[in-house]
Amino acid sequence: MASHKVVLHFPLHQLNQPVVNNLIKRYDLDFNILRAEVTPNERGFVVLELTGEEQNFCDGLAWLDTLGVTVQPLSEDVVRLDDRCTHCGACVTSCPVDALYVDRPSQAVIFDQEACIGCGICVDVCPPRAMVVQF
Ligand code: SF4
Ligand code: SF4
């Protein structure tokens, strides 16, 4: 048995489909939803802890890929290099838990490390590479 924390991002055409239910039934996985958010006609994601046989987990990921569902592993120890951050805001809409947000009225982008679940999404969208995952 193995346990994995992952973020699933759903394409528009899958937003109203029972993807997670089908995943756990097809691949005999247990799940715990850590966070979920769906904006109709825009985006949807769910942060899950999946538990089951490793092969079933891998097969499940392959099946999700055929549906166009993007799977991102959760990682740990995300930090922001403040001297690199330009407060451009590019990361704000990508963060699934609002750990990056714009402060008003200063317009500064704030990183709330306590709220961060370590998905690593901001690392890829930050132009000056200010968000870093430490291993
Ligand atoms: S994308 Fe990078 S540079 Fe822009 S606000 Fe976020 S952390 Fe700062
Ligand atoms: S890694 Fe980045 S995108 Fe993911 S939760 Fe933390 S701040 Fe948000």
Side-chain angles (χ1 to χ4, degrees):
M1 283 284 186
S3 185
H4 300 273
K5 290 180 180 174
V6 292
V7 185
L8 309 187
H9 291 268
F10 301 100
L12 278 181
H13 67 279
Q14 295 289 358
L15 280 181
N16 297 319
Q17 302 302 312
V19 173
V20 173
N21 280 345
N22 291 340
L23 172 72
I24 61 170
K25 280 185 198 158
R26 287 176 71 124
Y27 299 98
D28 193 25
L29 298 169
D30 288 328
F31 74 106
N32 181 24
I33 294 181
L34 305 175
R35 168 123 189 179
E37 189 172 314
V38 174
T39 307
N41 301 321
E42 276 189 37
R43 66 171 186 158
F45 72 84
V46 59
V47 183
L48 284 177
E49 181 170 18
L50 292 169
T51 304
E53 296 298 329
E54 189 67 23
Q55 187 60 53
N56 290 355
F57 175 74
C58 294
D59 291 346
L61 294 196
W63 176 72
L64 288 171
D65 189 52
T66 67
L67 301 180
V69 177
T70 304
V71 182
Q72 183 132 13
L74 284 183
S75 49
E76 296 177 348
D77 294 332
V78 175
V79 297
R80 183 170 74 176
L81 306 176
D82 287 336
D83 57 336
R84 287 194 193 174
C85 177
T86 60
H87 298 272
C88 67
C91 56
V92 171
T93 55
S94 300
C95 179
V97 293
D98 298 328
L100 290 154
Y101 61 94
V102 179
D103 179 56
R104 311 284 181 202
S106 71
Q107 301 292 330
V109 174
I110 306 297
F111 175 42
D112 180 356
Q113 197 159 25
E114 292 293 312
C116 174
I117 58 171
C119 69
I121 295 170
C122 56
V123 173
D124 294 327
V125 303
C126 175
R129 297 288 178 195
M131 302 304 297
V132 178
V133 178
Q134 293 184 331
F135 295 99

